[in-house]
Amino acid sequence: MFLYEWPKIDRIQKKEKMAFVALTAMGCLLAILVIYYPEMSSPTQWVERIYRPLGKLLEQ
């Protein structure tokens, strides 16, 4: 995916390239973590744990 998309981004678009590199690196890191720690909770569960108290406050 990286080799396919990288040439399509113009040289002028430095911010887009940096964002692309950062998101690709984070995706690779998460994939490696899942391989070594398959019992790790998913990012969706992390978000749920963080925002559950806020949701309870808003329901009242």
Side-chain angles (χ1 to χ4, degrees):
M1 180 182 83
F2 184 84
L3 294 175
Y4 179 75
E5 290 292 333
W6 188 257
K8 293 183 178 187
I9 302 174
D10 291 334
R11 290 184 178 181
I12 300 169
Q13 298 175 325
K14 296 198 184 282
K15 289 182 183 179
E16 286 82 357
K17 281 192 172 191
M18 292 304 297
F20 181 71
V21 168
L23 291 172
T24 303
M26 288 188 324
C28 289
L29 179 66
L30 281 174
I32 291 169
L33 284 174
V34 168
I35 290 171
Y36 286 109
Y37 303 105
E39 69 279 351
M40 183 176 70
S41 61
S42 70
T44 305
Q45 291 172 339
W46 299 344
V47 171
E48 183 179 319
R49 287 182 193 153
I50 292 170
Y51 289 111
R52 184 178 295 150
L54 179 62
K56 288 181 182 180
L57 284 174
L58 293 175
E59 285 179 359
Q60 295 177 357

